[in-house]
Amino acid sequence: MDDTPPFFEGPFDSDEGSDAIADLVGKDDAATTMAESLDTFVRENEEYAEEGAVDEALAFACLVAARISGIAPDEAAHHWLDRTPLTVSDDLRRLAVAAFALATRSRDNWLMEVQAGDWQAFLEHLEPYRKALHGEPQDPPVPFVPDFSDQKKQWLQAYWSIEDQGLPDDTAYADVAGRLVLAVNEAPAWLAWWRPANLQELTVFGQLTPGAYTERISRGRTTAEAWIDFGHSHEGFEAPVTRQVSDDLRRALEATGRHLGLDPVPPLPALPK
């Protein structure tokens, strides 16, 4: 169930679907927004499920299904539900059922037309969501067991950005951050800290722009994500850049540990030469 479909996008991968979901993250009124969108889709797409509208509606309907059952083949659904409060009312469920039916019908449907070659496999991937919406019994997924036997695979990934682009590799911050993340991955004490999370990987998305510090942590079924805006630039520090990078990475890992209920973080390892 954790494998994404091989030849087509899942319900959360289109630009329209992912953007609509991103706009809902952390909102207290997510259910209201979703209900309004699904109601509009059902009323305006009865004759033909339009491009864009059908992507958004299917993504919303699948999130409703995932909240109802806790079963989702897509890791993105688990992360979104961990970050966003959502109570499924009878009306929201009714709209999700109707929208799902329109979005997955095999006629008068833009999504079916572009997925024509893999349509049946797409429907099979969506089957756990359909069953959840209709209250049909289904077997829960096999409990996930992380595997750290391959020492070449890193459990910690980090991506740094400035404004709307990635941090250039030739910056001092990027150089130190890359070496420090590698050192954490290779440190037995840090792997021992991470193991109780029972997840395969932690990805840190670090934004380096002046402003307020913010953090958004989420747990999926197999991974964790930490979206951190550190509130400062990647340059112009009074202290050496090594200290700043260390403080930033420690802060991100501490925030993740609090969210996942892990022990206090161990000391950061020395930087490799």
Side-chain angles (χ1 to χ4, degrees):
M1 286 185 67
D2 296 313
D3 294 333
T4 55
F7 302 115
F8 51 81
E9 295 180 328
F12 310 106
D13 296 329
S14 69
D15 290 340
E16 294 82 359
S18 61
D19 288 348
I21 290 171
D23 289 341
L24 294 177
V25 170
K27 288 188 176 180
D28 293 332
D29 62 346
T32 300
T33 302
M34 294 171 75
E36 292 174 348
S37 175
L38 291 173
D39 181 60
T40 299
F41 173 75
V42 171
R43 286 186 291 102
E44 297 183 356
N45 290 265
E46 183 176 357
E47 294 185 2
Y48 183 82
E50 297 283 350
E51 177 183 0
V54 67
D55 300 90
E56 178 177 316
L58 181 60
F60 284 176
C62 288
L63 286 176
V64 172
R67 173 62 84 202
I68 291 170
S69 68
I71 293 176
D74 300 275
E75 185 74 354
H78 296 278
H79 280 286
W80 187 89
L81 292 171
D82 191 42
R83 294 193 296 259
T84 309
L86 174 65
T87 299
V88 178
S89 64
D90 290 342
D91 187 53
L92 179 57
R93 183 172 187 162
R94 175 185 61 80
L95 289 168
V97 168
F100 187 92
L102 282 178
T104 57
R105 67 185 179 186
S106 298
R107 58 177 178 80
D108 302 325
N109 182 0
W110 177 86
L111 188 59
M112 182 277 296
E113 293 168 4
V114 298
Q115 304 275 21
D118 305 304
W119 184 241
Q120 191 56 45
F122 188 47
L123 294 182
E124 291 174 4
H125 179 73
L126 297 176
E127 184 65 4
Y129 299 111
R130 188 198 64 77
K131 286 185 174 181
L133 288 173
H134 289 273
E136 297 178 12
Q138 56 181 317
D139 294 330
V142 176
F144 176 72
V145 179
D147 179 8
F148 301 107
S149 60
D150 186 350
Q151 297 182 353
K152 295 181 180 180
K153 291 185 177 181
Q154 299 183 349
W155 64 266
L156 174 62
Q157 305 286 336
Y159 301 93
W160 314 93
S161 62
I162 51 175
E163 301 299 338
D164 295 325
Q165 61 179 328
L167 179 65
D169 292 337
D170 60 357
T171 63
Y173 191 105
D175 173 66
V176 173
R179 290 190 287 129
L180 186 56
V181 168
L182 178 62
V184 170
N185 272 293
E186 294 178 344
W190 275 95
L191 179 57
W193 172 82
W194 175 246
R195 278 184 182 276
N198 205 37
L199 298 170
Q200 189 65 47
E201 183 178 288
L202 165 62
T203 303
V204 175
F205 299 95
Q207 177 83 354
L208 300 169
T209 54
Y213 172 87
T214 62
E215 62 185 47
R216 191 173 79 239
I217 318 296
S218 61
R219 179 194 184 101
R221 184 166 180 262
T222 65
T223 62
E225 293 179 357
W227 298 78
I228 310 291
D229 191 334
F230 290 102
H232 61 73
S233 174
H234 65 289
E235 55 189 359
F237 310 116
E238 294 182 5
V241 67
T242 300
R243 183 185 305 173
Q244 186 63 57
V245 174
S246 298
D247 289 347
D248 289 345
L249 186 59
R250 172 179 287 277
R251 195 172 191 181
L253 295 171
E254 286 175 341
T256 301
R258 287 193 301 270
H259 186 83
L260 299 178
L262 301 179
D263 290 338
V265 298
L268 287 171
L271 278 178
K273 300 298 183 179

